[in-house]
Protein backbone atom coordinates (compact mmCIF):
# COMPACT_ATOMS: atom_id res chain seq x y z
CA UNK A 1 0.00 0.00 0.00
CA UNK A 2 1.37 3.43 0.86
CA UNK A 3 2.41 5.43 3.83
CA UNK A 4 0.28 8.46 4.53
CA UNK A 5 0.31 11.17 7.17
CA UNK A 6 1.11 10.19 10.70
CA UNK A 7 0.28 11.91 13.94
CA UNK A 8 2.49 12.98 16.82
CA UNK A 9 1.48 11.52 20.15
CA UNK A 10 1.41 12.89 23.63
CA UNK A 11 -1.17 14.97 25.41
CA UNK A 12 -3.90 15.73 22.85
CA UNK A 13 -4.99 19.35 22.48
CA UNK A 14 -8.64 20.42 22.52
CA UNK A 15 -10.56 19.83 19.33
CA UNK A 16 -9.92 22.51 16.74
CA UNK A 17 -12.70 24.95 15.88
CA UNK A 18 -14.03 24.71 12.33
CA UNK A 19 -12.67 28.04 11.17
CA UNK A 20 -11.37 28.74 7.67
CA UNK A 21 -9.35 27.69 5.82
CA UNK A 22 -10.69 24.25 6.74
CA UNK A 23 -13.32 22.98 4.34
CA UNK A 24 -16.45 21.19 5.56
CA UNK A 25 -17.17 17.73 4.22
CA UNK A 26 -19.34 17.48 1.14
CA UNK A 27 -22.83 18.60 2.06
CA UNK A 28 -26.11 18.95 0.25
CA UNK A 29 -25.66 22.64 -0.42
CA UNK A 30 -28.48 22.89 -2.93
CA UNK A 31 -31.09 20.94 -1.02
CA UNK A 32 -31.12 18.18 -3.61
CA UNK A 33 -34.01 16.36 -5.17
CA UNK A 34 -35.26 13.07 -3.75
CA UNK A 35 -34.59 10.09 -6.00
CA UNK A 36 -38.21 9.83 -7.07
CA UNK A 37 -38.02 13.35 -8.49
CA UNK A 38 -34.59 13.09 -10.09
CA UNK A 39 -35.09 13.63 -13.81
CA UNK A 40 -33.53 11.26 -16.32
CA UNK A 41 -32.98 13.40 -19.42
CA UNK A 42 -30.47 12.67 -22.15
CA UNK A 43 -26.93 13.87 -21.36
CA UNK A 44 -27.40 17.08 -23.30
CA UNK A 45 -30.15 18.11 -20.86
CA UNK A 46 -27.94 18.15 -17.75
CA UNK A 47 -27.57 21.90 -18.20
CA UNK A 48 -30.66 23.37 -16.58
CA UNK A 49 -30.49 24.37 -12.92
CA UNK A 50 -33.64 22.42 -12.16
CA UNK A 51 -32.38 19.11 -13.57
CA UNK A 52 -28.60 19.08 -13.44
CA UNK A 53 -26.85 17.05 -10.76
CA UNK A 54 -24.40 19.88 -10.28
CA UNK A 55 -27.24 22.24 -9.44
CA UNK A 56 -29.33 19.91 -7.30
CA UNK A 57 -26.55 18.22 -5.38
CA UNK A 58 -23.82 20.77 -4.97
CA UNK A 59 -21.13 18.75 -6.73
CA UNK A 60 -18.96 19.25 -9.77
CA UNK A 61 -16.73 16.86 -11.66
CA UNK A 62 -13.17 16.80 -12.92
CA UNK A 63 -12.26 14.97 -16.08
CA UNK A 64 -8.90 13.38 -16.71
CA UNK A 65 -7.01 14.49 -19.79
CA UNK A 66 -5.84 10.90 -20.06
CA UNK A 67 -7.26 8.58 -22.65
CA UNK A 68 -9.02 5.39 -21.63
CA UNK A 69 -8.19 3.30 -24.68
CA UNK A 70 -5.84 0.93 -22.84
CA UNK A 71 -6.90 -2.28 -21.11
CA UNK A 72 -7.44 -0.81 -17.67
CA UNK A 73 -10.95 -0.46 -16.27
CA UNK A 74 -12.26 3.15 -16.20
CA UNK A 75 -13.38 4.46 -12.80
CA UNK A 76 -14.95 7.69 -11.51
CA UNK A 77 -14.52 8.92 -7.90
CA UNK A 78 -17.65 10.59 -6.52
CA UNK A 79 -16.41 12.87 -3.73
CA UNK A 80 -12.84 12.70 -5.02
CA UNK A 81 -11.73 16.05 -3.62
CA UNK A 82 -12.47 15.08 0.01
CA UNK A 83 -9.97 13.36 2.30
CA UNK A 84 -11.18 9.80 1.67
CA UNK A 85 -11.55 10.56 -2.03
CA UNK A 86 -7.96 11.80 -2.22
CA UNK A 87 -6.81 8.54 -0.65
CA UNK A 88 -8.85 6.60 -3.22
CA UNK A 89 -7.10 8.57 -5.96
CA UNK A 90 -3.68 7.75 -4.53
CA UNK A 91 -4.52 4.04 -4.54
CA UNK A 92 -5.67 4.25 -8.17
CA UNK A 93 -2.84 6.54 -9.26
CA UNK A 94 -0.60 3.88 -10.82
CA UNK A 95 -2.96 0.95 -10.51
CA UNK A 96 -2.42 -1.71 -13.16
CA UNK A 97 -6.06 -2.85 -13.33
CA UNK A 98 -8.08 0.35 -12.88
CA UNK A 99 -7.77 3.91 -14.13
CA UNK A 100 -9.40 6.97 -12.60
CA UNK A 101 -10.76 8.94 -15.56
CA UNK A 102 -13.13 11.34 -13.79
CA UNK A 103 -13.55 12.96 -10.38
CA UNK A 104 -16.73 14.52 -9.03
CA UNK A 105 -16.08 16.91 -6.15
CA UNK A 106 -17.32 20.09 -4.52
CA UNK A 107 -18.33 23.15 -6.56
CA UNK A 108 -15.21 24.93 -5.31
CA UNK A 109 -13.07 22.56 -7.39
CA UNK A 110 -14.73 23.45 -10.69
CA UNK A 111 -12.28 24.95 -13.18
CA UNK A 112 -9.25 24.40 -10.98
CA UNK A 113 -6.50 21.80 -11.42
CA UNK A 114 -7.00 18.85 -9.10
CA UNK A 115 -3.57 19.36 -7.59
CA UNK A 116 -4.47 22.91 -6.51
CA UNK A 117 -7.55 21.66 -4.65
CA UNK A 118 -5.43 18.88 -3.15
CA UNK A 119 -2.82 21.35 -1.89
CA UNK A 120 -5.38 23.77 -0.46
CA UNK A 121 -7.22 21.09 1.51
CA UNK A 122 -4.03 19.48 2.81
CA UNK A 123 -2.72 22.90 3.86
CA UNK A 124 -5.99 23.53 5.72
CA UNK A 125 -5.66 20.23 7.59
CA UNK A 126 -2.04 21.02 8.46
CA UNK A 127 -3.11 24.40 9.82
CA UNK A 128 -6.02 23.01 11.84
CA UNK A 129 -3.97 20.17 13.33
CA UNK A 130 -0.58 21.86 13.58
CA UNK A 131 -0.21 21.05 17.28
CA UNK A 132 -0.54 17.34 16.46
CA UNK A 133 2.03 17.57 13.69
CA UNK A 134 -0.20 16.78 10.70
CA UNK A 135 1.83 15.91 7.61
CA UNK A 136 0.12 16.67 4.30
CA UNK A 137 -0.71 13.67 2.16
CA UNK A 138 1.97 13.28 -0.56
CA UNK A 139 0.85 14.72 -3.86
CA UNK A 140 0.13 12.44 -6.80
CA UNK A 141 2.57 13.65 -9.41
CA UNK A 142 2.92 12.79 -13.08
CA UNK A 143 2.22 9.11 -13.67
CA UNK A 144 5.42 7.74 -15.22
CA UNK A 145 4.05 4.22 -15.72
CA UNK A 146 1.22 5.29 -18.01
CA UNK A 147 2.31 8.80 -18.95
CA UNK A 148 -0.86 10.58 -17.89
CA UNK A 149 -1.52 13.98 -16.40
CA UNK A 150 -3.75 14.72 -13.43
CA UNK A 151 -7.46 15.58 -13.85
CA UNK A 152 -8.66 19.13 -14.32
CA UNK A 153 -11.93 19.88 -12.49
CA UNK A 154 -14.92 20.90 -14.57
CA UNK A 155 -18.64 20.41 -13.88
CA UNK A 156 -21.00 17.48 -13.37
CA UNK A 157 -22.58 18.43 -16.66
CA UNK A 158 -19.33 17.57 -18.42
CA UNK A 159 -19.15 14.17 -16.73
CA UNK A 160 -22.52 13.14 -18.14
CA UNK A 161 -21.74 14.69 -21.51
CA UNK A 162 -18.46 12.82 -21.84
CA UNK A 163 -19.08 9.50 -20.04
CA UNK A 164 -21.70 6.77 -19.93
CA UNK A 165 -21.96 3.53 -17.94
CA UNK A 166 -20.23 0.52 -19.40
CA UNK A 167 -22.89 -2.04 -20.23
CA UNK A 168 -25.51 0.25 -18.74
CA UNK A 169 -28.40 2.17 -20.22
CA UNK A 170 -29.03 5.72 -21.26
CA UNK A 171 -31.62 7.83 -19.56
CA UNK A 172 -35.12 7.30 -20.87
CA UNK A 173 -35.84 9.52 -23.83
CA UNK A 174 -32.17 9.90 -24.73
CA UNK A 175 -30.76 9.27 -28.18
CA UNK A 176 -31.33 5.63 -29.04
CA UNK A 177 -34.41 5.35 -26.83
CA UNK A 178 -35.02 3.74 -23.47
CA UNK A 179 -32.81 0.76 -22.77
CA UNK A 180 -30.10 1.79 -25.23
CA UNK A 181 -26.68 0.56 -24.10
CA UNK A 182 -23.13 1.79 -24.37
CA UNK A 183 -22.82 -0.03 -27.69
CA UNK A 184 -24.64 2.93 -29.25
CA UNK A 185 -22.05 5.27 -30.67
CA UNK A 186 -22.89 8.65 -29.20
CA UNK A 187 -19.27 9.74 -28.79
CA UNK A 188 -19.08 9.31 -25.01
CA UNK A 189 -16.45 7.21 -23.28
CA UNK A 190 -17.49 4.61 -20.73
CA UNK A 191 -17.04 4.41 -16.97
CA UNK A 192 -17.56 0.99 -15.41
CA UNK A 193 -17.34 1.75 -11.67
CA UNK A 194 -18.10 4.76 -9.51
CA UNK A 195 -16.39 4.81 -6.09
CA UNK A 196 -18.36 7.05 -3.76
CA UNK A 197 -17.07 8.72 -0.59
CA UNK A 198 -19.82 11.33 -0.22
CA UNK A 199 -21.77 12.23 2.91
CA UNK A 200 -25.13 10.51 3.51
CA UNK A 201 -26.95 13.73 2.62
CA UNK A 202 -25.76 13.24 -0.96
CA UNK A 203 -27.04 9.70 -1.20
CA UNK A 204 -29.55 10.68 -3.88
CA UNK A 205 -26.61 11.14 -6.26
CA UNK A 206 -25.56 7.54 -5.60
CA UNK A 207 -29.13 6.44 -6.35
CA UNK A 208 -29.09 8.39 -9.60
CA UNK A 209 -25.79 6.82 -10.63
CA UNK A 210 -27.17 3.32 -10.05
CA UNK A 211 -30.41 4.11 -11.88
CA UNK A 212 -28.40 5.20 -14.91
CA UNK A 213 -26.48 1.92 -14.95
CA UNK A 214 -23.17 2.73 -13.24
CA UNK A 215 -21.83 0.09 -10.83
CA UNK A 216 -21.42 1.83 -7.48
CA UNK A 217 -18.86 0.98 -4.79
CA UNK A 218 -19.56 3.15 -1.75
CA UNK A 219 -18.29 3.82 1.76
CA UNK A 220 -21.31 6.03 2.53
CA UNK A 221 -23.91 4.77 5.01
CA UNK A 222 -26.68 5.77 2.62
CA UNK A 223 -28.86 2.71 1.84
CA UNK A 224 -26.56 0.23 3.58
CA UNK A 225 -28.18 -3.11 4.40
CA UNK A 226 -26.92 -6.61 5.28
CA UNK A 227 -27.63 -7.69 1.70
CA UNK A 228 -25.34 -5.11 0.05
CA UNK A 229 -22.63 -4.54 2.69
CA UNK A 230 -19.37 -6.47 2.48
CA UNK A 231 -16.05 -6.98 4.24
CA UNK A 232 -14.34 -9.69 2.21
CA UNK A 233 -12.77 -11.43 5.20
CA UNK A 234 -16.31 -12.21 6.38
CA UNK A 235 -18.67 -12.09 3.41
CA UNK A 236 -18.31 -11.63 -0.34
CA UNK A 237 -20.87 -10.68 -2.99
CA UNK A 238 -22.62 -13.76 -4.39
CA UNK A 239 -24.22 -12.08 -7.41
CA UNK A 240 -23.96 -8.83 -9.36
CA UNK A 241 -25.49 -5.77 -7.69
CA UNK A 242 -26.04 -2.18 -8.71
CA UNK A 243 -24.45 -0.93 -5.48
CA UNK A 244 -21.91 -2.52 -3.16
CA UNK A 245 -21.41 -0.96 0.27
CA UNK A 246 -18.50 -0.99 2.68
CA UNK A 247 -19.46 -0.56 6.36
CA UNK A 248 -18.22 2.03 8.85
CA UNK A 249 -14.41 2.11 9.17
CA UNK A 250 -14.56 0.66 12.69
CA UNK A 251 -16.63 -2.26 11.41
CA UNK A 252 -14.10 -2.74 8.59
CA UNK A 253 -11.33 -3.10 11.17
CA UNK A 254 -13.23 -5.26 13.66
CA UNK A 255 -14.66 -7.67 11.09
CA UNK A 256 -11.45 -9.66 10.39
CA UNK A 257 -10.84 -10.01 14.15
CA UNK A 258 -14.38 -11.16 14.85
CA UNK A 259 -14.42 -13.40 11.78
CA UNK A 260 -11.33 -15.19 13.11
CA UNK A 261 -13.04 -15.70 16.46
CA UNK A 262 -16.36 -16.84 14.99
CA UNK A 263 -14.73 -19.27 12.54
CA UNK A 264 -12.78 -20.95 15.33
CA UNK A 265 -15.07 -20.69 18.37
CA UNK A 266 -18.24 -21.35 16.40
CA UNK A 267 -20.86 -19.16 14.76
CA UNK A 268 -23.25 -19.34 17.70
CA UNK A 269 -20.71 -19.18 20.53
CA UNK A 270 -20.70 -15.41 21.18
CA UNK A 271 -23.27 -13.82 23.48
CA UNK A 272 -22.23 -10.13 23.53
CA UNK A 273 -19.82 -7.72 21.83
CA UNK A 274 -18.85 -4.54 23.69
CA UNK A 275 -17.03 -1.92 21.61
CA UNK A 276 -15.52 1.40 22.71
CA UNK A 277 -13.61 3.51 20.21
CA UNK A 278 -11.12 6.36 20.26
CA UNK A 279 -11.28 7.37 16.64
CA UNK A 280 -8.79 9.66 14.96
CA UNK A 281 -9.57 13.20 13.91
CA UNK A 282 -9.16 12.39 10.20
CA UNK A 283 -12.28 10.27 10.50
CA UNK A 284 -14.03 13.63 10.26
CA UNK A 285 -12.49 14.30 6.84
CA UNK A 286 -11.43 17.84 6.02
CA UNK A 287 -13.47 19.52 8.76
CA UNK A 288 -12.40 19.70 12.44
CA UNK A 289 -14.99 19.52 15.21
CA UNK A 290 -16.25 22.58 17.09
CA UNK A 291 -14.41 22.77 20.39
CA UNK A 292 -17.65 23.44 22.30
CA UNK A 293 -18.78 19.86 21.60
CA UNK A 294 -15.67 18.34 23.16
CA UNK A 295 -15.34 16.84 26.61
CA UNK A 296 -11.77 17.62 27.58
CA UNK A 297 -9.76 16.72 24.49
CA UNK A 298 -12.20 14.13 23.14
CA UNK A 299 -15.50 14.30 21.33
CA UNK A 300 -18.37 11.93 22.19
CA UNK A 301 -19.30 10.97 18.63
CA UNK A 302 -22.88 10.18 19.60
CA UNK A 303 -23.47 13.93 20.05
CA UNK A 304 -23.01 14.75 16.39
CA UNK A 305 -23.02 11.55 14.33
CA UNK A 306 -24.95 8.32 13.88
CA UNK A 307 -21.79 6.18 14.04
CA UNK A 308 -22.84 4.22 17.12
CA UNK A 309 -26.11 3.19 15.53
CA UNK A 310 -24.40 2.27 12.27
CA UNK A 311 -21.94 0.03 14.11
CA UNK A 312 -24.58 -1.78 16.12
CA UNK A 313 -26.62 -2.66 13.04
CA UNK A 314 -23.61 -3.46 10.85
CA UNK A 315 -21.86 -5.76 13.33
CA UNK A 316 -25.11 -7.47 14.27
CA UNK A 317 -25.94 -7.98 10.60
CA UNK A 318 -22.46 -9.16 9.67
CA UNK A 319 -22.38 -11.81 12.40
CA UNK A 320 -25.97 -13.05 12.40
CA UNK A 321 -27.01 -16.15 10.51
CA UNK A 322 -30.50 -14.66 10.36
CA UNK A 323 -32.13 -11.53 11.75
CA UNK A 324 -32.10 -11.52 15.54
CA UNK A 325 -29.86 -14.56 15.86
CA UNK A 326 -26.51 -12.83 16.34
CA UNK A 327 -24.73 -11.49 19.41
CA UNK A 328 -25.92 -8.49 21.37
CA UNK A 329 -23.83 -5.43 20.46
CA UNK A 330 -23.01 -2.37 22.65
CA UNK A 331 -21.05 0.54 21.16
CA UNK A 332 -19.67 3.87 22.45
CA UNK A 333 -17.56 6.07 20.18
CA UNK A 334 -15.17 8.97 20.84
CA UNK A 335 -12.74 11.00 18.72
CA UNK A 336 -9.54 12.78 19.59
CA UNK A 337 -5.85 12.51 20.37
CA UNK A 338 -4.58 11.10 17.08
CA UNK A 339 -4.65 12.13 13.46
CA UNK A 340 -4.77 8.73 11.83
CA UNK A 341 -5.80 5.28 12.98
CA UNK A 342 -8.85 4.25 15.00
CA UNK A 343 -8.23 2.59 18.35
CA UNK A 344 -10.93 0.10 19.32
CA UNK A 345 -11.40 -1.59 22.68
CA UNK A 346 -13.18 -4.92 22.15
CA UNK A 347 -14.71 -7.25 24.71
CA UNK A 348 -16.20 -10.57 23.62
CA UNK A 349 -18.39 -12.49 26.06
CA UNK A 350 -19.08 -16.07 25.02
CA UNK A 351 -22.26 -17.91 25.88
CA UNK A 352 -22.43 -19.94 29.06
CA UNK A 353 -20.30 -23.06 28.71
CA UNK A 354 -18.42 -21.74 25.65
CA UNK A 355 -14.63 -21.20 25.63
CA UNK A 356 -14.12 -21.72 29.34
CA UNK A 357 -10.52 -22.78 28.59
CA UNK A 358 -9.69 -19.84 26.33
CA UNK A 359 -6.05 -18.70 26.63
CA UNK A 360 -4.00 -15.97 25.02
CA UNK A 361 -1.94 -18.56 23.14
CA UNK A 362 -5.08 -20.12 21.70
CA UNK A 363 -6.54 -16.77 20.62
CA UNK A 364 -3.27 -15.63 19.05
CA UNK A 365 -3.21 -18.85 17.02
CA UNK A 366 -6.68 -18.06 15.74
CA UNK A 367 -5.66 -14.56 14.72
CA UNK A 368 -2.37 -15.41 13.06
CA UNK A 369 -3.71 -18.38 11.06
CA UNK A 370 -6.70 -16.49 9.70
CA UNK A 371 -6.08 -15.67 6.02
CA UNK A 372 -9.25 -16.20 3.95
CA UNK A 373 -8.17 -14.12 0.94
CA UNK A 374 -4.82 -15.75 0.21
CA UNK A 375 -6.00 -18.10 -2.54
CA UNK A 376 -8.30 -15.46 -4.04
CA UNK A 377 -5.32 -13.22 -4.76
CA UNK A 378 -3.69 -15.91 -6.92
CA UNK A 379 -6.93 -16.71 -8.74
CA UNK A 380 -7.58 -13.03 -9.42
CA UNK A 381 -4.13 -12.61 -10.96
CA UNK A 382 -4.86 -15.43 -13.40
CA UNK A 383 -7.99 -13.54 -14.48
CA UNK A 384 -5.97 -10.39 -15.13
CA UNK A 385 -6.90 -8.55 -11.92
CA UNK A 386 -3.83 -7.64 -9.87
CA UNK A 387 -5.05 -7.43 -6.27
CA UNK A 388 -3.41 -4.38 -4.70
CA UNK A 389 -5.36 -4.54 -1.42
CA UNK A 390 -3.81 -7.72 0.00
CA UNK A 391 -0.93 -6.99 2.37
CA UNK A 392 -0.83 -10.52 3.77
CA UNK A 393 -2.92 -12.08 6.56
CA UNK A 394 -5.42 -9.42 7.69
CA UNK A 395 -4.50 -9.54 11.42
CA UNK A 396 -1.12 -8.70 12.92
CA UNK A 397 -0.74 -9.57 16.58
CA UNK A 398 1.53 -7.20 18.51
CA UNK A 399 2.67 -8.49 21.90
CA UNK A 400 3.77 -5.10 23.19
CA UNK A 401 1.20 -2.29 23.09
CA UNK A 402 4.05 0.21 22.68
CA UNK A 403 4.65 -1.22 19.20
CA UNK A 404 1.09 -0.52 18.15
CA UNK A 405 0.61 3.25 18.20
CA UNK A 406 -2.21 4.43 15.99
CA UNK A 407 -0.07 6.27 13.46
CA UNK A 408 2.13 3.20 12.85
CA UNK A 409 -0.73 0.97 11.70
CA UNK A 410 -1.21 1.71 7.99
CA UNK A 411 -2.56 -0.29 5.10
CA UNK A 412 -5.09 -3.11 4.96
CA UNK A 413 -3.88 -5.14 7.96
CA UNK A 414 -5.29 -4.46 11.42
CA UNK A 415 -3.22 -4.77 14.60
CA UNK A 416 -4.39 -6.62 17.71
CA UNK A 417 -2.67 -6.03 21.05
CA UNK A 418 -3.37 -5.74 24.80
CA UNK A 419 -4.91 -9.22 24.73
CA UNK A 420 -6.47 -10.62 27.87
CA UNK A 421 -8.32 -13.95 27.93
CA UNK A 422 -10.27 -15.62 30.72
CA UNK A 423 -12.99 -18.24 31.09
CA UNK A 424 -15.55 -17.34 28.46
CA UNK A 425 -14.15 -13.84 27.85
CA UNK A 426 -11.70 -12.15 25.49
CA UNK A 427 -10.58 -8.54 25.66
CA UNK A 428 -8.18 -6.80 23.28
CA UNK A 429 -7.30 -3.55 21.55
CA UNK A 430 -7.66 -3.32 17.77
CA UNK A 431 -6.04 -0.58 15.68
CA UNK A 432 -7.20 0.06 12.11
CA UNK A 433 -6.03 2.50 9.46
CA UNK A 434 -9.28 4.43 9.01
CA UNK A 435 -8.18 6.00 5.72
CA UNK A 436 -7.21 2.73 3.99
CA UNK A 437 -8.68 -0.41 5.55
CA UNK A 438 -11.61 1.66 6.77
CA UNK A 439 -12.25 3.74 3.65
CA UNK A 440 -10.26 3.99 0.41
CA UNK A 441 -8.73 0.51 0.53
CA UNK A 442 -12.04 -1.09 1.56
CA UNK A 443 -13.76 0.35 -1.53
CA UNK A 444 -10.93 -0.69 -3.84
CA UNK A 445 -10.90 -4.19 -2.31
CA UNK A 446 -14.59 -4.67 -3.12
CA UNK A 447 -14.12 -3.28 -6.64
CA UNK A 448 -11.24 -5.66 -7.30
CA UNK A 449 -13.33 -8.62 -6.19
CA UNK A 450 -16.36 -7.59 -8.26
CA UNK A 451 -14.17 -7.14 -11.34
CA UNK A 452 -12.58 -10.57 -10.74
CA UNK A 453 -15.98 -12.26 -10.45
CA UNK A 454 -17.18 -10.49 -13.55
CA UNK A 455 -14.28 -12.01 -15.50
CA UNK A 456 -14.44 -15.57 -14.16
CA UNK A 457 -18.22 -15.71 -13.73
CA UNK A 458 -20.50 -15.41 -10.73
Amino acid sequence: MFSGPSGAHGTPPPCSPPTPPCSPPLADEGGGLPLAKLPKPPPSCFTSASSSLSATSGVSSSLSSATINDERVPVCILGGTGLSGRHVYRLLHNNETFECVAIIGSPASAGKPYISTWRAKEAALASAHSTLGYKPLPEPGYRPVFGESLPVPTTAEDFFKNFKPEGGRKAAGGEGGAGATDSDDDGRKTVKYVISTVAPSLGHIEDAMVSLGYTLISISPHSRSPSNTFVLERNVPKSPLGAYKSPNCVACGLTPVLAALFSNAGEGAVDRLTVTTLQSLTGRGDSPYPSELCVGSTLPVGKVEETEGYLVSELAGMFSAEEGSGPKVDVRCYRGGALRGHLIDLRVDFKEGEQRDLTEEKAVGWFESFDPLKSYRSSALLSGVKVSTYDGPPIRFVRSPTGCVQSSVTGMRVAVTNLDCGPGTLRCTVVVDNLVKGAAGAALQIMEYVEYKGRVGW
Side-chain angles (χ1 to χ4, degrees), residues 338-408:
L339 284 170
R340 181 168 182 175
H342 289 351
L343 186 146
I344 308 158
D345 181 81
L346 172 66
R347 178 184 173 113
V348 179
D349 290 304
F350 294 92
K351 293 180 179 178
E352 187 173 353
E354 297 283 352
Q355 298 301 319
R356 307 306 296 176
D357 60 347
L358 184 61
T359 63
E360 178 178 320
E361 182 180 1
K362 183 178 181 180
V364 170
W366 291 350
F367 294 144
E368 294 186 334
S369 63
F370 184 70
D371 194 7
L373 300 180
K374 184 176 182 180
S375 59
Y376 148 67
R377 185 190 188 194
S378 301
S379 299
L381 188 59
L382 292 175
S383 75
V385 176
K386 185 173 182 180
V387 177
S388 62
T389 52
Y390 178 84
D391 291 344
I395 304 169
R396 176 170 63 93
F397 180 70
V398 182
R399 295 194 177 275
S400 171
T402 59
C404 196
V405 295
Q406 285 166 268
S407 61
S408 71

Side-chain angles (χ1 to χ4, degrees), residues 197-224:
T197 66
V198 297
S201 61
L202 296 178
H204 61 285
I205 308 177
E206 294 189 348
D207 295 335
M209 288 284 190
V210 174
S211 72
L212 291 172
Y214 295 94
T215 299
L216 182 79
I217 316 290
S218 172
I219 69 171
S220 170
H222 173 74
S223 293
R224 278 182 191 151

